């Protein structure tokens, strides 16, 4: 495997990690808000809080890791995406800032306040929408580079394109679906029947739209970037497997059986689709201006980054395992029987 | 230079400085407070004193709020680097990706263990287990300051790279981390962060004592934080001196500009205060003979490079002299407060905790310390203008050419105002509604020996 492919694979794995943990987090924020306005907050809020409190900070790091890493491995991405993303990127940062801090204000401050819950819940859906513009831009067609190398971002085109809206839709519904699937598992572990029934309904309700919007994106790519679509069809088996995993996950939840396994299938479902999409995207990072081979970082830097990455993993994996042992797989904690 | 109404370079500079200005407050707390929490918890366990354990607990509770704001503004500056300075990051990505990457690891490590620490207060029978969970938090927070300052040090004094016609051609990833500015910068940042946090926590204890709340808990808190502050002040003084010597050797233009030293000369005097006239004459300044030579090279006869030997378009703005003098004034103030407290503690112990002027001075020292941190950064950053990468890239070449930077500046300014106001309100309400005395009562902690 060349350094370039290794680099992009590492980053893609981190982005996938972010996709899963952030979806759980964003969706949970929204459900927390939604349950507050429908008067069910007291029923599901406990499990949401018990899961989120120890991990909310970690979620953010996956994202930081991705964008620091991509600039390290592929310095030109900073130039292209940095210039193009000024507005959507800044909006995403502002939303992330509001969300993260108001979560803390609400959870650790003295009493919870409805405006805080609203800011926290609403931003949870807007962030995936604004972050997903990165995916859209990477397909090309929204950037113009003139002869002198000056780059212009075509906002008008982005806002009127079917493809970009399909991606936004997919981002939002999959956040709700992934989150509800996870919360079902967590509520079930907590033996909280009432909460479980509520989040189970959410999960089932969002499963249909998730698969429909995935199909929509699939076809929208065909219209937008035929070359990418062709490569995706040559990897069609990955998307078929992804669909199979979706069916298994929904079946397990439907029959209320083996919910841990159900969530693993949710991860596999998104994993296959995400890596299938990513593999088909190669070698382009930004179609057609930037491939993974353009201005790849120097060999000593690549080597240093990869070595540090491996050392870092040796530190992170056991720590993450400890975090999960203590808060995810510790039945007593999950059921709220441990003091803080 | 033709300045059009919309100038992305100017707006990018303002926005970046706003973000950093705001972030540094929370980042500083993020680096120093865990160390103070660890100290308190350690003493609490070793002496089996519940007051110190409660101290650690209460500090940790407030710390979460500041961490949250620190994390989100840190994410903001991380992304803004690429959004506002795309051409710079293209170069930086090649040369300093490694410390940036390592900073994220340190941050990751800290985040994981902070989550665990906060939710396991009563989980382990052996209290030391819980204490050890804090060690990665302290290490992680200091390590992220360490790595990110390495990035900044590289920008001040690029090393480990070969430059040809203004382009970086050859890079040694680890060599770039060991720039000459690194040792002094990193140690200065770390120790002043510890100092500031010790003073901030001391001010909180002093505030309660001044309000007439005489519980021994506050006295213990004040003693612990002020003694720490005194130690950190001595440390910063030593490192500050080394920083001057670094500047003389590697960034003489910055030292010359901050001391208004125009002619290269031996036995150079140090100028305190004063004003500069149009034709670069110093008026009303207080001259200390030989002091600049001693500051720069440790010898009264040493030669110090003057500004006239440096090309004019590479001169830093001369106002940094005022900035430096103000900074040293603030430092003197803090030193005085800490030394006075130590004197009282040593000679007239009861006065250290009851003298109203002493307590007021400690309360003033905390914002002064934070101000000095901000001030130090402004001084350091303005002092390396016009360069973004000294000797390689000028600031104007690194900025974005995008439209809308002005709108983003407005949006972010609003965000920082709102976040700043809310975090202060949340923090004050948090501690006002649950004072230490009540918490001691509800936890069944003894009233202490002289309550």
């Amino acid at each position: 495997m060349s350094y370039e492919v290794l680099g992009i694979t590492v980053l893609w794995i981190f982005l996938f990690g972010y996709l899963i943990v952030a979806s759980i987090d964003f969706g949970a924020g929204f459900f927390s808000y939604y349950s507050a306005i429908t008067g069910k907050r007291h029923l599901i809020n406990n499990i949401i809080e018990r899961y989120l409190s120890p991990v909310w900070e970690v979620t953010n790091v996956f994202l930081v890791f991705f964008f620091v890493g991509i600039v390290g491995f592929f310095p030109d991405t900073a130039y292209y995406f940095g210039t193009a993303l000024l507005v959507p990127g800044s909006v995403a940062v502002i939303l992330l800032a509001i969300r993260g801090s108001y979560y803390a204000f609400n959870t650790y401050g003295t009493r919870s306040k409805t405006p805080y819950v609203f800011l926290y819940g609403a931003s949870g859906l807007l962030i995936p929408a604004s972050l997903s513009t990165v995916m859209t831009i990477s397909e090309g067609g929204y950037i113009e580079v003139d002869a002198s190398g000056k780059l212009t971002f075509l906002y008008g085109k982005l806002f009127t394109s079917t493809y970009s809206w399909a991606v936004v839709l997919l981002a939002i519904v999959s956040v709700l679906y992934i989150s509800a699937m996870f919360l079902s598992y967590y509520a079930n572990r907590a033996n909280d029947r009432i909460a479980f029934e509520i989040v189970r309904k959410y999960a089932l309700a969002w499963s249909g739209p998730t698969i429909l919007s995935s199909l929509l994106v699939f076809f929208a790519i065909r219209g937008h970037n035929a070359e990418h679509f062709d490569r995706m069809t040559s990897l069609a088996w990955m998307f078929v497997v992804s669909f199979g995993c979706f069916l298994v996950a929904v079946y397990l939840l439907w029959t209320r059986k083996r919910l841990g396994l159900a969530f693993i299938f949710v991860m596999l479902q998104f994993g296959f689709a995400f890596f299938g999409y990513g593999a088909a995207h190669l070698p382009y990072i930004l179609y057609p201006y930037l491939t993974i081979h353009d201005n790849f970082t120097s060999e000593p830097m690549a080597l240093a980054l990869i070595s540090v990455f491996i050392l870092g993993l040796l530190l992170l994996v056991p720590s993450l395992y400890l975090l999960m042992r203590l808060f995810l797989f510790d039945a007593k904690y999950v059921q709220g029987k441990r003091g803080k | 230079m033709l300045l059009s109404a919309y100038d992305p370079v100017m707006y990018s500079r303002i926005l970046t400085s706003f973000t950093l200005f705001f972030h540094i407050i929370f980042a500083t707390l993020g680096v120093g407070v865990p160390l103070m929490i660890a100290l308190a918890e350690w003493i609490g366990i070793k002496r089996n004193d519940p007051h110190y354990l409660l101290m650690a607990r209460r500090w940790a509770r407030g710390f979460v709020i500041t961490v949250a704001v620190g994390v989100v503004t840190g994410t903001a500056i991380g992304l803004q680097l690429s959004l506002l300075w795309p051409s710079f990051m293209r170069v930086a990505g090649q040369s300093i990706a490694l410390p940036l990457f390592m900073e994220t690891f340190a941050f990751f490590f800290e985040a994981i263990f902070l989550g665990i620490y906060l939710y396991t207060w009563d989980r382990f029978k052996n209290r030391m287990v819980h204490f050890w969970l804090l060690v990665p938090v302290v290490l992680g927070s200091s390590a992220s300051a360490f790595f990110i300052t390495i990035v900044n040090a590289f920008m001040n004094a690029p090393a480990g790279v070969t430059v040809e016609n203004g382009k970086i051609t050859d890079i040694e990833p680890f060599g770039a981390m060991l720039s000459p500015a690194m040792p002094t910068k990193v140690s200065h940042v770390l120790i002043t962060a510890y100092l500031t946090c010790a003073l901030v926590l001391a001010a909180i204890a002093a505030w309660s004592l001044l309000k007439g709340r005489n519980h021994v808990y506050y006295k213990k808190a004040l003693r612990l934080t002020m003694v720490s502050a005194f130690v950190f002040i001595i440390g910063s003084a030593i490192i500050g001196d080394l920083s001057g010597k670094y500047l003389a050797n590697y960034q003489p233009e910055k030292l010359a500009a901050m001391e208004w030293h125009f002619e290269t000369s031996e036995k150079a005097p140090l100028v305190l205060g004063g004003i500069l006239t149009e034709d670069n004459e110093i008026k009303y300044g207080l001259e200390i003979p030989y002091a600049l030579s001693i500051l720069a090279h440790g010898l009264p006869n040493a030669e110090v490079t003057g500004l006239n030997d440096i090309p004019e378009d590479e001169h830093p703005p001369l106002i940094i002299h005022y900035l430096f003098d103000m900074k040293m004034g603030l430092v003197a103030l803090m030193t005085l407060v800490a030394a006075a407290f130590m004197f009282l503690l040593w000679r007239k112990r009861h006065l250290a905790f009851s003298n109203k002027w002493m307590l007021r001075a400690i309360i003033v020292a905390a914002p002064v310390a934070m101000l000095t941190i901000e001030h130090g950064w402004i001084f350091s950053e303005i002092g390396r203008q016009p360069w973004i990468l000294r000797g390689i890239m000028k600031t104007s070449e690194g900025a974005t050419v995008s439209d809308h930077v002005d709108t983003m500046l407005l949006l972010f300014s609003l965000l920082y105002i709102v976040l700043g106001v809310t975090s202060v309100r949340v923090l004050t309400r948090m501690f006002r509604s649950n004072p230490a005395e009540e918490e001691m009562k509800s936890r069944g902690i003894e009233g202490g020996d002289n309550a």
Side-chain angles (χ1 to χ4, degrees):
Chain A
M1 208 191 261
S2 65
Y3 284 140
E4 289 98 316
V5 178
L6 191 62
I8 197 76
T9 310
V10 162
L11 295 171
W12 205 242
I13 291 171
F14 263 85
L15 198 57
F16 179 67
Y18 183 66
L19 185 135
I20 298 293
V21 290
S23 294
I24 297 175
D25 190 338
F26 294 148
F30 178 76
F31 291 134
S32 174
Y33 169 65
Y34 179 75
S35 63
I37 54 171
T38 51
K40 290 180 185 156
R41 186 150 200 264
H42 58 289
L43 299 179
I44 66 166
N45 203 46
N46 267 341
I47 56 154
I48 291 183
E49 207 160 277
R50 219 173 295 141
Y51 165 74
L52 283 185
S53 297
V55 303
W56 63 274
E57 232 196 316
V58 179
T59 311
N60 232 21
V61 194
F62 277 92
L63 178 65
V64 178
F65 201 101
F66 175 75
F67 68 66
V68 168
I70 197 164
V71 174
F73 279 108
F74 308 98
D76 272 10
T77 53
Y79 180 69
Y80 285 98
F81 282 100
T83 312
L85 282 171
L86 178 71
V87 175
S90 298
V91 170
V93 170
I94 290 175
L95 291 169
L96 278 172
I98 291 178
R99 189 165 190 284
S101 40
Y102 280 82
Y103 173 75
F105 296 161
N106 194 37
T107 314
Y108 305 100
T110 38
R111 62 199 138 164
S112 87
K113 288 185 147 184
T114 325
Y116 290 3
V117 182
F118 169 73
L119 282 173
Y120 166 65
S123 55
L125 289 190
L126 295 174
I127 295 168
S130 60
L131 284 180
S132 65
T133 46
V134 184
M135 291 291 167
T136 318
I137 293 171
S138 76
E139 292 296 335
Y142 306 101
I143 285 179
E144 218 170 57
V145 180
D146 70 11
S148 67
K150 186 182 184 310
L151 199 148
T152 321
F153 184 53
L154 312 167
Y155 289 97
K157 248 188 154 165
L158 182 78
F159 280 112
T160 52
S161 118
T162 335
Y163 174 66
S164 74
W165 287 109
V167 172
V168 167
L169 187 72
L170 176 63
I172 292 177
V173 293
S174 22
V175 158
L176 295 172
Y177 167 72
I178 294 174
S179 184
M181 286 299 274
F182 177 80
L183 290 173
S184 304
Y185 156 71
Y186 204 68
N188 187 53
R189 262 198 80 87
N191 270 333
D192 190 338
R193 300 316 309 167
I194 304 165
F196 172 70
E197 290 303 327
I198 296 173
V199 285
R200 175 177 174 270
K201 257 185 223 133
Y202 292 163
L204 291 174
W206 288 108
S207 62
T210 300
I211 219 69
L212 285 177
S213 49
S214 312
L215 282 174
L216 188 62
V217 168
F218 208 76
F219 288 110
I221 285 191
R222 187 161 125 170
H224 187 78
N225 182 343
E227 202 182 321
H228 189 186
F229 181 78
D230 286 344
R231 279 196 303 269
M232 273 169 77
T233 43
S234 66
L235 290 169
W237 66 271
M238 294 188 82
F239 300 96
V240 174
V241 174
S242 164
F243 183 68
C245 295
F246 165 77
L247 292 178
V248 176
V250 173
Y251 170 77
L252 289 173
L253 182 71
W254 180 261
T255 54
R256 298 185 170 81
K257 273 189 292 207
R258 316 217 34 200
L259 294 157
L261 192 66
F263 190 70
I264 290 175
F265 271 99
V266 171
M267 288 203 277
L268 287 174
Q269 173 201 339
F270 280 88
F272 276 107
F274 191 72
F275 283 90
Y277 169 87
H281 204 293
L282 290 178
Y284 291 105
I285 297 179
L286 172 63
Y287 182 87
Y289 302 107
L290 190 62
T291 72
I292 55 170
H293 308 294
D294 298 329
N295 195 16
F296 181 65
T297 190
S298 66
E299 198 175 303
M301 185 56 92
L303 214 90
L305 286 176
I306 290 168
S307 333
V308 165
F309 175 76
I310 291 168
L311 288 175
L313 277 190
L314 292 179
L315 203 68
L316 281 188
V317 170
S319 327
L320 277 173
Y321 174 73
L322 181 68
L323 186 74
M324 291 201 277
R325 265 288 301 275
L326 291 171
F327 301 109
L328 215 54
F329 303 126
D330 183 301
K332 268 194 189 162
Y333 172 81
V334 177
Q335 290 164 14
K337 287 180 189 155
R338 274 196 198 281
K340 284 182 197 172
Chain B
M1 193 176 77
L2 207 113
L3 200 95
S4 60
Y6 172 78
D7 175 12
V9 180
M10 203 56 208
Y11 284 118
S12 297
R13 287 182 63 183
I14 299 174
L15 178 47
T16 309
S17 52
F18 274 7
T19 306
L20 280 174
F21 187 89
F22 191 70
H23 176 65
I24 281 168
I25 299 173
F26 295 92
T28 303
L29 294 172
V31 172
V33 174
L35 183 70
M36 297 308 297
I37 297 175
L39 263 177
E41 193 170 352
W42 171 264
I43 296 175
I45 295 172
K46 286 292 142 186
R47 295 195 193 154
N48 200 14
D49 184 334
H51 290 147
Y52 285 99
L53 292 174
L54 182 70
M55 216 178 281
R57 215 171 170 130
R58 287 175 67 84
W59 287 346
R61 214 178 293 144
F63 180 60
V64 195
I65 303 287
T66 61
V67 164
V69 183
V71 168
V72 297
T73 51
T75 312
I77 187 67
L79 256 170
Q80 267 178 6
L81 279 179
S82 295
L83 297 176
L84 297 174
W85 307 96
S87 309
F88 160 69
M89 280 306 273
R90 204 181 201 175
V91 177
Q94 256 156 22
S95 46
I96 42 178
L98 192 61
L100 273 174
F101 204 61
M102 288 164 116
E103 198 254 341
T104 333
F105 267 116
F107 173 34
F108 216 144
F109 197 49
E110 180 197 346
I112 291 174
F113 280 93
L114 184 64
I116 298 179
Y117 177 80
L118 289 173
Y119 287 87
T120 51
W121 277 97
D122 302 318
R123 216 190 240 208
F124 307 104
K125 273 211 186 82
N126 182 351
R127 283 189 299 195
M128 281 310 277
V129 175
H130 187 246
F131 171 79
W132 287 117
L133 287 171
L134 191 57
V135 173
V137 180
V138 175
L139 287 179
S141 58
S142 290
S144 39
F146 177 82
F147 289 122
I148 207 65
T149 313
I150 286 181
V151 174
N152 183 270
F154 178 88
M155 293 162 76
N156 272 279
V161 291
T162 315
V163 182
E164 268 171 47
N165 306 323
K167 289 253 181 318
I168 291 179
T169 51
D170 197 23
I171 302 150
E172 295 167 54
F174 288 95
M177 291 176 63
L178 301 170
S179 80
M182 191 276 266
T184 43
K185 265 207 181 270
V186 164
S187 45
H188 195 84
V189 163
L190 286 177
I191 197 122
T192 50
Y194 298 150
L195 167 63
T196 305
C197 293
L199 285 174
V200 166
L201 296 171
I204 298 172
W207 180 269
S208 301
L209 286 167
L210 192 66
K211 292 265 149 183
R213 287 153 63 184
N214 262 326
H215 199 285
V216 65
Y217 168 86
Y218 299 110
K219 295 176 184 168
K220 285 176 180 170
L222 191 65
R223 193 175 59 208
L224 170 64
T225 49
M226 284 307 288
V227 171
S228 314
F230 187 72
V231 174
F232 295 139
I233 278 188
I234 295 172
S236 346
I238 298 168
I239 293 160
D241 179 60
L242 292 175
S243 304
K245 299 189 168 38
Y246 150 77
L247 280 182
N249 282 319
Y250 295 98
Q251 276 179 286
E253 76 278 7
K254 196 168 178 176
L255 185 74
M258 78 195 217
E259 297 302 347
W260 288 345
H261 185 63
F262 294 98
E263 292 297 331
T264 301
S265 63
E266 295 172 359
K267 302 178 187 171
L270 186 77
V271 181
L272 280 183
I275 52 167
L276 200 66
T277 59
E278 289 282 318
D279 40 355
N280 284 349
E281 293 222 12
I282 305 164
K283 276 192 178 166
Y284 315 118
L286 175 66
E287 259 190 35
I288 308 173
Y290 307 111
L292 185 58
S293 289
I294 297 175
L295 180 77
H297 301 287
L299 295 167
N301 292 327
E303 183 182 87
V304 182
T305 313
L307 261 189
N308 293 348
D309 283 357
I310 290 154
E312 194 139 350
D313 65 333
E314 292 174 17
H315 283 191
L318 290 173
I319 53 155
I320 63 170
H321 174 75
Y322 302 113
L323 293 177
F324 183 69
D325 277 4
M326 275 164 70
K327 178 178 156 177
M328 291 328 285
L330 296 173
V331 171
L333 208 70
M334 281 187 282
T335 315
L336 208 67
V337 172
F341 180 85
M342 291 308 284
F343 177 78
L344 287 183
L345 197 65
W346 175 45
R347 272 297 155 89
K348 300 194 165 129
R349 181 165 280 245
H350 63 284
L351 280 183
F353 303 108
S354 61
N355 184 297
K356 290 224 151 109
W357 285 105
M358 187 69 250
L359 296 175
R360 280 183 199 132
I362 292 172
I363 294 169
V364 173
V368 165
M370 198 52 97
L371 205 70
T372 315
I373 297 253
E374 294 284 8
H375 203 94
W377 274 112
I378 295 171
F379 161 75
S380 164
E381 294 304 290
I382 292 183
R384 84 177 137 99
Q385 292 306 323
W387 300 107
I388 190 165
L389 278 173
R390 184 177 176 274
I392 300 174
M393 184 186 246
K394 292 208 169 148
T395 307
S396 52
E397 300 161 344
T400 182
V401 290
S402 283
D403 305 328
H404 311 297
V405 187
D406 47 353
T407 325
M408 296 304 118
L409 172 62
L410 200 73
L411 280 179
F412 275 101
S413 310
L414 270 175
L415 173 75
Y416 300 143
I417 293 171
V418 171
L419 282 187
V421 171
T422 341
S423 48
V424 170
R425 283 186 51 187
V426 168
L427 277 172
T428 41
R429 194 177 309 134
M430 208 161 139
F431 288 101
R432 240 182 230 155
S433 66
N434 184 18
E437 289 88 347
E438 262 176 46
E439 203 174 343
M440 279 184 264
K441 219 179 279 168
S442 67
R443 285 183 191 280
I445 297 172
E446 284 293 307
D449 27 299
N450 59 344

